[in-house]
Each structure stands twice: as structure tokens, then as C-alpha cells.
Amino acid sequence: MCVPEIFLDANATTPVLPEISQIMQRLCCNQFGNPSSSHLAGAMPKRIIADARKAAAQVFNVVDGRFIFNSGATEGINTAVLSVLAEYTGQNRKNAILLYGATEHKAVPEALKHWNHVLGVNAELLAIPVLADGALDIQFIAKHAPNALILCTMGANNETGVIQDLQAIARAIGGKDKQLPWLVDSVQVLGKVPLDLGALPIDYATFSAHKLYGPKGTGCLFIREGAPYTPLQHGGGQEHGERGGTENVAGIAALARIFDWLLDPQQSPLQAMDTLAGYREELLLALKNLFPNLVLNQPYPESLPTTINFSVPGFESGKIIAIFDSAGIRVSAGSACSKGKPQSFVLKAMGLPDWQCEGAIRLSFGPASSAEFIQMAAARINAMADRLKNLDEAERSGLWVPDPLNVGFAVYADETSKSLYYVGNRDRVKTWLNSYFSTDEWKQQLLSEGEHKFADFTLKISETGDFCISHEKLGRALSFNDSGVILSSEYLENVETIAPEIVSSGEYSFLDVREPLETCMQEAPKFGAGGWVSQRADWCRLALEFEGNTANQPVVAICRSGGRSLSVAALVRAAGGPNVLSCEGGVTDVVHFLAAKESVI
Ligand code: PLP
């Protein structure tokens, strides 16, 4: 029942590999000296840092530049931006521009905005557009470079894996003779695409250990000789006075091991590019089995061989993540919330249609993935496909209120006469009906004012279009307006929530309110009595009809991750039904507690 987690979100972060954690443990527990100490305990840590610096220079073929160890890419980006803009402090350069790629990680525009303001540079931030394949518009860069104070681009994009043509960018700004300071966020290329800082006129490059099996909060910044530099932190003179603060020796040693791997591929767990490309192909094949109509949101050959970004027509990203999560696979939505709807600004910048930007899923694996891991992941995805194919068609007769908390309409479907009776928001009802019922098969009828009876339900519609659904026999009712059920905060606040470890004690019966797509991917835990699988469209019917548990066991609503069960419990209460508790976590948490209990026994 407790499925092992398959982590396919390596562009967000990677686990620390045992080889690295052993090194770190040694440096935290045994050779823990302060590199600034003049006694012998400081000697080894000092040497580790010096060796790591040398290894970094070798990996990136650096001849005229240096590395500073820091907390990661966000710090590196801020340091580079500060270093360049500090040269223009207080100059109010209103006609100058700060050039950055439209698909950069948020750290870049945010750092530019901040230091531009704080230092009184007041230049204009100008985003470089990308073409449909995610590549930066090189002509745009060439045109604006003469007025720019800084250029910020990235090696590869974290959402789409699109690899930028750094040679072309270098040519556009004048090659080796260029004047414009150039920062390249190199986080996502580390270990995946070689980066030659000897051949490219890059002035600043940022790296982060946790994207390549190192710890979080560790990274380094490359600075070209002669490029402006201003420390972000001042203190005890560490890093040759360029970054104050006692060094994170264990983290730097982890980075050093990562550099060793890159210098000696034979001794490295990191796989070659073509092997990784083969792995990606295997996963894509499985994904196409699960979603035959998936659409890729990336130029496949020109993107990192470890990243797949796709959308599926008719599926928003939240739903796909829920399905994967239920099956124990962690993927991410390639998007952040903007204006209430999750939308990927990266895909938007590439000009992809809204549905693709809103439904994007990123699946990424680390370069040290083994063939067995990829096979296991593909097998899990193929098993999901089999389950999905066997999913029963939803039972369609009866009362439907799709998402009663948001959607202000109700439908009564009479299977015998193939008639649909509906009330409420007409635009929304049409969209939903079209996606759910084949409209030429069913007769549709809009209900107006008055009272309408269907089986045990009565719909009362007021002049203003508000409506109330009641259950005759149980005497329960729910009132709706255009934005869904009228559920005062009192109901939500009064739901009692209980922790998953209490639920797993077996003293409760449960109300399983996951959606069928989730339940078909993850079996319900075997605890307590009862169970009621319900999808969103059924919640209203459930609230009106749910009678509790005959064995008088308290009932706990349980969903995938804890939010939905609260709403359903509140709905049942608002309709006048029995008291239902809500499980704080979701099914997975309960499953984990049960598994832990079994292992103790
Ligand atoms: N730049 C890119 C492209 C990233 O993917 C990330 C991490 O998400 C960062 C910068 C920030 O890195 P860090 O976590 O080291 O601050």
C-alpha cells in the first residue's frame, strides 16, 4: 500500500548522494576546524577550500578569473548585479537599460529591480524576448547592447530545459572585445552541458550545489578578472575579503566532489548526455502511453536531456500533479500563480496558448539517475496508464453540482429519459455540460423560477436566480448563488481537524473524498469502517444524503492532501448533516503512519 516515492523534480532539487553526505559528515563531525584558525585544526578545511577553488577553475577552463564560494545561485546573482550596478551608484541613468532574458529565473529580474532602486541607478529593466523555441532573440540583444549596463542570460532554463546559444549571444555583444558585463545563470547546465569559461567572454557565472546532488545553501560565483566586484557581505575577511562569514566547509567539500566527478567522468556517477537522452525517451514513451494526446512545451532536441515539459488538453496542471502524486511520483507544475490562475511566464514568453501555459507539467531527473530508476519510473507511469484505462465511466444519473463551493449551477440528469435539467450560471453550465455529456444524446432544459422535484431532491429557484436544494426525507438544504454554495466561515472554522496518526488508530470510519482519478492511482488505507468515494460533482449530493456511520464511530473526511476534506466536512455540516471531522494531512500521510506502525510491530 505504501508506494515508494519516485522523485522526478530534479530541476527543483536533488538528494545529497551518500558519497557526498559521508564527506560532509566527516567535515562536520571530525575535521570541523575553522579555516581561519591559525592552529592545525584549521589547516585541513583551508586546504579543502583551496583545492575546491582549483578544481572549479579546471572544470570550467578558467584562465583569467576566480571563484567565490557562497550560498548558491540567488546570492551569486545578487552579488553580480550589485557589483555591476554599484559602478553607477546615484547616477540616475534613466536612458540606460538593464537587459535580461524574459525566461530567467525570478532571482534575476528581482535582483535587478532591487539594486537598481537601492543604488539610485534608475535604469530601465528590459526583458529580451524569446522566440517560439525559447531561444533568446539575438538581434534584440545586439540592438540594445550599446545602451545596456548589464546583460543577464541563462545557460539552460529550469522549466523547459531550453539550452541557450551562448556563442551567438557572445558574438551579438562583441565577442572577446565586448564592453558589456555579462552574467550567465549556469545553475541548470552544471553536470548536463559543458561550459567553457575560457572560450566565452562571460563575466559572472552562478552555480548551485543542490541541483547536482550537493546540499542546499551552497554554491559558487565565477568572476572574470577585471570585472567590477563589490562584496554582498562584509565581515572577517573570508574569501580574500570578497565574502565575509565563516565558510561552509562541508558544503564546499561537497562542491569539490561534484567538480571531481566532472573532471573524471570514469569515476563519476553522472551519466553521459546520450545515455540521459535515452532515459528521457523512455520516460516520454511511457508518458505518451498515459496521455496519448500530450503536447510538448519545449524544443525537444535543443533542451536538456533530463527535462520534459508537457501539457495535456483538458487537464489543468493541478489535476495531473494530483494523479502523479497519488501514484507516488513527484513532478512539478511548470508554473507560478499569476492573477489567480497558475500560468507559466516562461511558456507565455514563448507565445504558447493559454491552455498550455496553465496546464504545463515539468518532469525532470538528475544526471546520476540509473537505468533501473528510469525503468521503474516508466513502469510506474505505464501502470498508471493501465489504471486510467480501466477507470469506470462516472455514474451520471442524479444530482450534479460540479464543485459546489465555486460553481453556481446544478444539473439533474435523468438517465431514463436522457434529460438534463439545469439551473444557475448559464455560461458555466454550458461549458461543463459539453465536456461531460454528449449533448446530442441528451435533452436539455433550463429550469426557471419556482419549485422542481426530482426523486428525493427539490430545487427552489427565486426571482433573482438564487436557488436552494433540499432533501425531502432528511430535511437538509443548501443554498446557492452565482458563485456557489453560501458557506459562511463559521462552518469552515468549526470543522474539527485531526492529525493523520490519530486517524490511523483505527477508531474512526472514513469518508474518502478523493476524486476517482486519484483513488484509481492509490488505494485507500485499510483502517476503520466504511468509505465513500466521491468526486467534486458529488459533494452536494453527499452533503444532503450522508448519514454517518451506523456503528456510531466518528467519521473523518480524508482527501489527497488535506484541503478538500475540510470543505466537504463543512458542507455536510452546513446542510444539516452529521458531524464530520477532517484529516489534517491526506491519504499519503495516513498510509505513512500505518506503514511506520506495521514496521514497529
Ligand atoms: N537559477 C535557476 C535557473 C534555478 O533553477 C534556480 C533554482 O531554482 C536558481 C537560479 C536559484 O538557485 P539557489 O537555490 O541556489 O538560490
Side-chain angles (χ1 to χ4, degrees), residues 11-12 71-74 77 105 154 156 158 185 187-188 208 210-211:
N11 285 11
S71 68
T74 303
I77 290 163
H105 187 275
M154 68 202 315
N158 42 309
D185 175 355
V187 167
Q188 295 292 345
S208 188
H210 74 102
K211 307 286 181 177

Side-chain angles (χ1 to χ4, degrees), residues 14-28 209-216 218 249-261 269-270 368:
T14 51
V16 173
L17 287 190
E19 186 182 333
I20 288 191
S21 74
Q22 279 157 20
I23 295 173
M24 292 181 69
Q25 183 169 5
R26 180 165 47 83
L27 285 155
C28 290
H210 74 102
K211 307 286 181 177
L212 200 65
Y213 307 105
K216 292 161 187 64
T218 301
V249 183
I252 295 171
L255 259 182
R257 178 49 55 99
I258 294 169
F259 295 144
D260 289 345
W261 290 340
L270 307 177

Side-chain angles (χ1 to χ4, degrees), residues 78-89:
N78 274 274
T79 311
V81 169
L82 162 68
S83 298
V84 174
L85 296 192
E87 303 279 297
Y88 304 99
T89 302

